[in-house]
Amino acid sequence: MAISTIGSAGLATGGIGRSNMYTGAVLQVVQTVKTDSFTSATNGYVDITGLSVSITPISTSNKILIFATITAGADFQNNLSFNLVRNSTNINQSTSGTVNHTLTQNYGTSYQSITSPITFLDSPSTTSATTYKLQMNSNGLTTCKINVRATDSYFGGVSQITVMEIAA
């Protein structure tokens, strides 16, 4: 491993390049934060506008660590489901149920909004720009609102998605 030194201009020289970082090093971080609201009553998965992030891995062997939080509200005694998607492929989904997805939120009252986390380590095996996004499905039974309660906009929240390239 090369030794880094501080040159006369105050810049490090002779350091480790991004493509030569040790296993587990964070190479890059990209984040999108959604502070506004989004509403849907669709039976089927729809992209949540403003809740996607793109990253271009520098090596096909590197991993992408995804941290997301989703704040949502639905009508009384209904549930919403969410998918984590890489480009157009669902990732991190259950295989144990009749209907499989990344996350479900169940609502006992319309005056509720729930914030839930999603964490996943992905292996996209590409050096092309890769988009990660969240989709939701209200099952056509209810109105879903992102970042606010279903019945009103009284309580606001924030949703976000952060991706990190991890050296393999």
Side-chain angles (χ1 to χ4, degrees), residues 98-147:
T98 304
V99 178
N100 297 307
H101 42 265
T102 303
L103 172 71
T104 298
Q105 292 178 340
N106 296 298
Y107 299 86
T109 174
S110 296
Y111 295 102
Q112 213 175 9
S113 64
I114 299 172
T115 301
S116 300
I118 299 170
T119 304
F120 183 65
L121 184 62
D122 189 34
S123 301
S125 301
T126 186
T127 56
S128 298
T130 304
T131 299
Y132 292 91
K133 61 187 175 182
L134 289 167
Q135 296 179 328
M136 71 174 179
N137 181 359
S138 67
N139 303 309
L141 303 173
T142 185
T143 296
C144 171
K145 292 186 177 181
I146 299 299
N147 291 341

